[in-house]
Structures are given as C-alpha cells and as structure tokens.
Amino acid sequence: MTIIFENARLGLGVEEKKINSGDQEELVLDGGFLVPETNSFGHTFRDYNAESERQESVEEFYHIQHIHQSVDFVKKMRAEYGSLNRVEMSIWECCELLNEFRDESDPDLDEPQIEHLLQTAEAIRKDYPNEDWLHLTGLIHDLGKVLLHHSFGALPQWAVVGDTFPVGCAFDESIIHHKYFKGNPDYNNPAYNTKLGIYSKGCGLDNVLMSWGHDDYMYLVAKESKTTLPSAALFIIRYHSFYPLHKSGAYTHLMNEDDKENLKWLHIFNKYDLYSKSKIRIDVEKVKPYYLSLIEKVKN
C-alpha cells in the first residue's frame, strides 16, 4: 500500500524568543527546540569570518565553487546525472556511505554526515511527532552527498556541498564570499548577469537552474522515483542550502505561489538542519528501526 502524505497548508509561524537557562542564554524554537547560540567550535552559526581551524579552508572552498558553478557546468552535470544510472542502493545504505565524508563547506560541524542526518531528523521528530514525512525528509535531505563517493563519480566537494544559488542570472550579493564570482565565466556575460537573466518574473523555482550539488541531485532522485513525499519535502530537499533565499530573502522575484507556500516549511526545517549540529552523538541502532519503518511506508 502506497502512503501518500497530503501537502496540508497549515499555520507555520515559527517563534524565536530569548530565555535564560542558568548562565547560558538560548533561543527557543516553537515546539520546544533549544537553539544554541554557538556552534561546536564556540562561534556563532554560519560565521564565515570567525577565526577558526576551518575558516581558511571553508573560504577556499567557496573561492573554487564560485568560479566553476556556471550555466554550462550545471547543464552538463544535470545531463550526466539526470539519467540516474550510477548505482542502486537503499536509503539506509546511502546513510551509512556518508560516514566516510565530512562537509568542507560547513564552518559549524566536522562530524560524519550520518550524524548530521540523524541529529536533524530526531530534533524534528521531537517537536513535530505527527509529521513523519518531515522526519524522513530530515533523514534523506543530504543523501545527495553520495556524489562524493567513487561509486557516484567522486565529484569534488565544490560540486557537491555548500550554499546553492541560481545560475543564469546575476549572482546576488548576499551569497557568501560573493567577491569570488568575478572569476566565473557567467559574471560578465550579458545574457546571465542581469536580475532576471534567462528567467521571467514569477516563473517558479522549478524552472530555475540551481548550482549543481547534492541538493539538486537528491531532488532529481526523489522526483524521478515518483516519491509519495509531498511537494514541500521536494522543496526542502532542493532548496535547503539556498541560503540567499531563505535567510536573506533574495531571488523571491522568481518564486510562484506554490514556492511561497512551501517556503514556510523550509523555514521550519532550516532551524533543525542548522542548529541541531553538535558533538552529541545519536544512538544509531536505537533510532534505526523507526527510520526503516518510514522508508518502508514510502516504498509500499
């Protein structure tokens, strides 16, 4: 029996407020999720200028990424990987495969990727116990990072991870380390360097080429497999690294009404994706049966 999660439209306001917890001041997220004010390195989250052991390597990552993520490159990658003829493996096998990798673009965490997947999913599960589709989305949202593995082509990190952004129009200045786009072949191309570029106002993000990486790849996998997850889940998968949109409000002129509705879910998801990162390990064997049951739901 196929389980179809309905794309319910709910009031999704997320409240942030300050509370005092001993000597530590924390943010509280609607549902009870405590949002730490510093990451596991003692810095504020997504602080790309903080001096840390990862600051220099993260900046160099974005330097390379911004030079190479062009319209031609994205089209080439979508053509090469869109056929989905690389490897067939289960969702849980993909999760375990990610144990081998750490995200070089992430200034907030240096733990294996499976830890991040489970931290995200478990935090969501605690606050939204009835939204099992969102739990599963938390588990699978980063599975496209298998592109780093040799079975999937061993793509370089700059072609797999990091913040995403549209190509085919001007690179918004809210994109982290924007200065490095000057080396991108599209930067001075008049067909691509205006606000709309090759797009039209309100065209819908489905019609926009995004920088290539794990987000777009996993989106293609889910879409082509005819998943029964709701459209909000696909939106989260494709745009969860699109920080210029959901953090800075850039590129909203390209959105249609469906995008605006799904963005509400992405704003909720992002809190867990970003702030659940920590050195606290999840007991994988304890939670594994629950997530295997969710996987079976969408398969049957």
Side-chain angles (χ1 to χ4, degrees):
M1 176 180 177
T2 300
I3 304 298
I4 300 177
F5 297 106
E6 294 182 355
N7 191 12
R9 298 191 173 192
L10 305 173
L12 299 175
V14 177
E15 178 187 3
E16 287 187 352
K17 57 185 177 182
K18 294 283 186 176
I19 64 170
N20 289 319
S21 176
D23 295 330
Q24 183 177 6
E25 191 178 43
E26 296 173 302
L27 291 172
V28 107
L29 178 67
D30 180 34
F33 180 72
L34 294 178
V35 179
E37 292 203 330
T38 59
N39 62 21
S40 56
F41 299 104
H43 303 291
T44 56
F45 284 85
R46 288 181 57 81
D47 185 349
Y48 290 91
N49 296 313
E51 292 186 8
S52 71
E53 59 192 76
R54 291 174 62 79
Q55 188 271 338
E56 186 175 336
S57 63
V58 169
E59 181 168 350
E60 181 58 22
F61 164 88
Y62 279 107
H63 185 183
I64 298 171
Q65 185 213 46
H66 290 358
I67 290 174
H68 292 289
Q69 290 280 0
S70 64
V71 169
D72 287 346
F73 174 74
V74 170
K75 287 182 175 179
K76 176 185 175 183
M77 290 294 99
R78 281 194 133 226
E80 182 176 343
Y81 283 90
S83 58
L84 307 181
N85 60 357
R86 292 277 169 168
V87 179
E88 183 174 326
M89 62 176 59
S90 71
I91 289 175
W92 198 262
E93 285 173 330
C94 287
C95 291
E96 293 179 332
L97 198 65
L98 291 183
N99 257 334
E100 301 180 25
F101 303 104
R102 287 171 171 77
D103 187 334
E104 292 179 2
S105 72
D106 193 341
D108 299 321
L109 188 67
D110 62 355
E111 298 296 323
Q113 286 300 294
I114 192 172
E115 289 293 324
H116 169 56
L117 298 181
L118 290 172
Q119 287 171 350
T120 303
E122 283 294 282
I124 293 171
R125 181 183 173 191
K126 181 178 179 181
D127 284 358
Y128 294 90
N130 298 322
E131 304 292 347
D132 55 358
W133 69 268
L134 195 56
H135 311 164
L136 184 57
T137 303
L139 180 72
I140 71 174
H141 76 283
D142 271 350
L143 287 192
K145 291 179 181 179
V146 295
L147 291 173
L148 295 168
H149 195 270
H150 64 82
S151 298
F152 292 84
L155 292 182
Q157 290 249 350
W158 62 261
V160 179
V161 300
D163 287 8
T164 59
F165 45 85
V167 296
C169 59
F171 301 114
D172 190 84
E173 291 191 1
S174 64
I175 301 171
I176 190 67
H177 294 308
H178 178 273
K179 60 187 178 183
Y180 294 123
F181 282 118
K182 292 181 180 179
N184 188 296
D186 295 348
Y187 186 79
N188 292 312
N189 187 330
Y192 301 143
N193 65 5
T194 62
K195 183 175 181 177
L196 285 174
I198 60 177
Y199 309 112
S200 59
K201 185 175 181 179
C203 64
L205 294 179
D206 270 354
N207 297 306
V208 173
L209 288 173
M210 298 295 296
S211 54
W212 176 254
H214 72 279
D215 314 62
D216 207 25
Y217 179 62
M218 189 59 200
Y219 168 76
L220 292 176
V221 170
K223 188 176 180 181
E224 292 305 314
S225 65
K226 302 189 181 345
T227 178
T228 55
L229 287 168
S231 63
L234 295 180
F235 191 90
I236 288 169
I237 289 168
R238 192 179 193 219
Y239 306 114
H240 68 272
S241 302
F242 190 7
Y243 278 87
L245 170 68
H246 59 75
K247 180 182 179 182
S248 303
Y251 300 103
T252 54
H253 57 284
L254 300 176
M255 297 173 67
N256 59 25
E257 291 305 312
D258 287 339
D259 294 330
K260 294 174 184 177
E261 188 65 32
N262 286 329
L263 183 59
K264 297 173 185 178
W265 280 112
L266 179 53
H267 278 144
I268 283 181
F269 178 86
N270 176 249
K271 307 291 172 132
Y272 299 91
D273 183 23
L274 177 59
Y275 296 117
S276 66
K277 298 172 183 177
S278 75
K279 295 287 188 179
I280 300 174
R281 306 296 289 266
I282 299 292
D283 186 337
V284 177
E285 293 306 312
K286 182 178 179 180
V287 301
K288 182 177 178 179
Y290 173 71
Y291 291 101
L292 289 179
S293 73
L294 293 189
I295 293 167
E296 285 302 311
K297 276 189 178 183
V298 297
K299 283 171 56 179
N300 298 328

